[in-house]
Amino acid sequence: MSVKDFVQQHRDDFIAMRRDFHMYPEPAWLEYRSASKVAEKLIALGYDVALGADVLDLDSRMGLPSEEVMKAAMARAMDEGADPELVEKMGYGKTAIVATMKFSDDGPVVAFRADMDSNDVIESEDDSHVPTKGGFRSHHDKAMHACGHDFHQTSLLGAAALLKEKEDQLEGTIRLIFQPAEEISEGASDVLATGLLEDVQGIIGFHNIPQLKAGQLALNAGAMMAGVEKFKVTVTGVSSHAARPDLGVDTVTAVTTMVQNLQLLISRTVSPFETAVLSITHLDVGSTWNVLPKSGYFEGTIRSFNPSVQRDLKAHFISIIRHIAESLEVDVAFEWGVTPPVTFNDEELTQVVWEASQGLAEVIPANPSTAGEDFAFYQERIPGVFAFIGSNGEPDAPDLHHDHMTIDDAAFEVSVPYYVENAQALLRYFKAKEA
């Protein structure tokens, strides 16, 4: 059966599966129901499925919810149809899955990744919103698949089924990664830390893009998504009465001076031929009109498409703040979030994917995105390709993370074949390199 025929035959199954995932969104490290449903389907297809402690080491991980929150999420998942045995095996926050299918005893190993976690977004109840109108709006308070990860995991499950059907035509091994915690940029690093991907020679993934039409696929070699730095700077001086600033060390002046001077960081340190952005998004200093506060802070993000530019920007950022702190006699402390580097596509593999995707989509050059994506952590270790797949394309299509974000189900006609055709292409490519 051709890939196109397979997708048409199973289109209603994909839609039903995605809508099921959409109704039960789960945030980072709490993807128990999602992972259970995924694992059940993969086991039924004959994949060797690793999950729970086989994939994630609890002691090596950051950002876990409290034990109480995880217990509640496990209980809810089982109430909503998750397999109790699988949930128990996942334990506290070990919700990643790595599934393996060996099509031959030797040959190359390639991997494919989809993310599973949801966003802290309250989904729209408007009658015009497709999930509300169609009866598959989120059942969970303050949680929504507003980034389309329901679509991503359904696409990879569909590909898993078709790859199994094509097993006689394939030589080598594939690994399917169903990853938690992409939204907090922690899942990929923790999957890598297990060593389960040490033998992988190439990896591909994608993200849906509402601004592209269903049927389009955008791709470039090099930078696809920005490297991200998340910062918080805490400034500490000496509190005093507003009438006697000479008796204190003015934190308000220090914070505002830092914020003002940082506006020159991009324009005066980055080449005009590079792209970068610094945004300070939150300030908190002082709480009343007649007291100069002891401390305050500001936070924001630095982004660029060039790893060396990103490193230089961070160094200049720190230098500017330290010089101002010294001159104004305040203390500063920096906090840096766990954030992804540049999503950077391997040049040779991008050409392979570009050619293999011609028959399944309208393939166009990508406009790199200043959003971040933790698929970049895989690409630091493994040559990889990350594509953008159109998921709406209407002029007023709500963007990712919007409470009206809507997937056009016609996008499955590209997303499932993207994995399947490129699995075959990459296995052939690496097999030829070994010859």
Side-chain angles (χ1 to χ4, degrees):
M1 180 184 297
S2 71
V3 176
K4 184 176 181 179
D5 289 344
F6 178 89
V7 173
Q8 287 299 322
Q9 181 176 323
H10 293 277
R11 186 176 187 274
D12 289 346
D13 298 331
F14 298 155
I15 293 172
M17 194 186 310
R18 184 185 78 79
R19 291 184 175 188
D20 180 73
F21 285 133
H22 190 88
M23 285 190 290
Y24 302 101
E26 298 165 303
W29 301 129
L30 302 178
E31 305 93 337
Y32 292 106
R33 184 184 186 278
S34 303
S36 173
K37 295 294 183 181
V38 167
E40 287 179 48
K41 294 180 186 299
L42 293 170
I43 291 167
L45 288 168
Y47 282 79
D48 179 11
V49 175
L51 78 163
D54 296 334
V55 181
L56 295 176
D57 177 5
L58 189 65
D59 296 333
S60 71
R61 298 165 58 224
M62 301 168 57
L64 286 173
S66 68
E67 184 175 321
E68 181 181 359
V69 168
M70 287 189 284
K71 282 183 176 179
M74 294 168 75
R76 183 178 70 178
M78 289 185 284
D79 288 343
E80 294 172 345
D83 184 310
E85 186 176 337
L86 292 174
V87 171
E88 187 69 26
K89 186 171 183 179
M90 283 182 261
Y92 291 153
K94 301 175 185 177
T95 47
I97 294 172
V98 177
T100 301
M101 179 71 74
K102 293 188 78 170
F103 300 110
S104 59
D105 291 334
D106 56 6
V109 182
V110 295
F112 309 92
R113 176 272 212 165
D115 37 20
M116 299 187 293
D117 54 327
S118 66
N119 307 95
D120 296 334
V121 172
I122 300 173
E123 185 161 15
S124 171
E125 297 183 23
D126 290 353
D127 290 339
S128 61
H129 182 47
V130 172
T132 303
K133 185 166 53 178
F136 61 98
R137 181 183 175 274
S138 171
H139 288 191
H140 293 169
D141 186 37
K142 297 180 182 178
M144 176 189 173
H145 272 300
C147 207
H149 296 186
D150 50 344
F151 171 67
H152 299 170
Q153 59 190 308
T154 303
S155 299
L156 189 53
L157 277 173
L162 182 53
L163 287 166
K164 174 62 177 174
E165 285 196 8
K166 289 179 168 288
E167 61 182 331
D168 293 340
Q169 305 170 35
L170 301 171
E171 289 187 51
T173 298
I174 61 167
R175 293 225 164 82
L176 309 180
I177 305 158
F178 290 85
Q179 182 203 302
E182 185 278 329
E183 292 291 347
I184 60 171
S185 302
E186 293 179 5
S189 294
D190 288 341
V191 171
L192 282 164
T194 65
L196 291 173
L197 307 183
E198 289 294 328
D199 58 350
V200 171
Q201 294 161 266
I203 185 167
I204 69 170
F206 79 85
H207 205 292
N208 82 90
I209 300 295
Q211 288 73 33
L212 297 178
K213 295 182 293 186
Q216 291 182 314
L217 185 151
L219 187 62
N220 279 336
M224 284 288 287
M225 301 185 75
V228 178
E229 296 287 358
K230 174 187 175 185
F231 61 79
K232 179 179 180 181
V233 180
T234 300
V235 181
T236 304
V238 177
S239 179
S240 69
H241 195 290
R244 292 298 305 272
D246 56 305
L247 298 179
V249 177
D250 187 355
T251 300
V252 175
T253 297
V255 167
T256 55
T257 301
M258 290 172 186
V259 170
Q260 184 67 26
N261 278 268
L262 286 169
Q263 303 311 309
L264 300 173
L265 180 65
I266 303 298
S267 66
R268 290 299 175 263
T269 66
V270 177
S271 164
F273 302 106
E274 296 283 355
T275 300
V277 62
L278 177 143
S279 292
I280 295 170
T281 57
H282 182 203
L283 297 95
D284 191 328
V285 56
S287 59
T288 190
W289 70 280
N290 62 349
V291 177
L292 290 171
K294 178 182 178 181
S295 65
Y297 69 87
F298 61 94
E299 57 188 342
T301 184
I302 304 169
R303 299 170 185 241
S304 75
F305 296 115
N306 184 324
S308 65
V309 169
Q310 193 78 352
R311 287 191 295 270
D312 290 345
L313 280 171
K314 186 174 180 178
H316 286 307
F317 177 92
I318 293 170
S319 176
I320 290 169
I321 289 171
R322 283 184 172 160
H323 279 95
I324 294 171
E326 183 179 357
S327 67
L328 297 179
E329 299 182 334
V330 295
D331 294 324
V332 291
F334 298 91
E335 295 177 43
W336 298 95
V338 178
T339 48
V342 178
T343 305
F344 199 89
N345 284 347
D346 179 84
E347 187 171 353
E348 285 190 30
L349 295 190
T350 299
Q351 187 61 35
V352 173
V353 172
W354 180 279
E355 293 174 1
S357 301
Q358 291 297 321
L360 61 94
E362 177 193 355
V363 184
I364 58 176
N367 291 318
S369 168
T370 49
E373 165 59 63
D374 83 344
F375 186 84
F377 289 116
Y378 298 113
Q379 292 177 308
E380 286 190 316
R381 306 267 195 94
I382 306 165
V385 177
F386 196 77
F388 297 151
I389 290 179
S391 59
N392 192 307
E394 294 296 325
D396 58 349
D399 200 4
L400 303 172
H401 295 200
H402 193 284
D403 67 352
H404 280 72
M405 192 270 184
T406 303
I407 298 283
D408 180 349
D409 290 318
F412 283 121
E413 295 173 19
V414 173
S415 63
V416 174
Y418 168 75
Y419 284 124
V420 175
E421 297 288 1
N422 286 296
Q424 297 174 94
L426 289 176
L427 288 172
R428 287 194 300 267
Y429 169 79
F430 286 114
K431 184 75 172 178
K433 287 195 74 171
E434 292 173 356

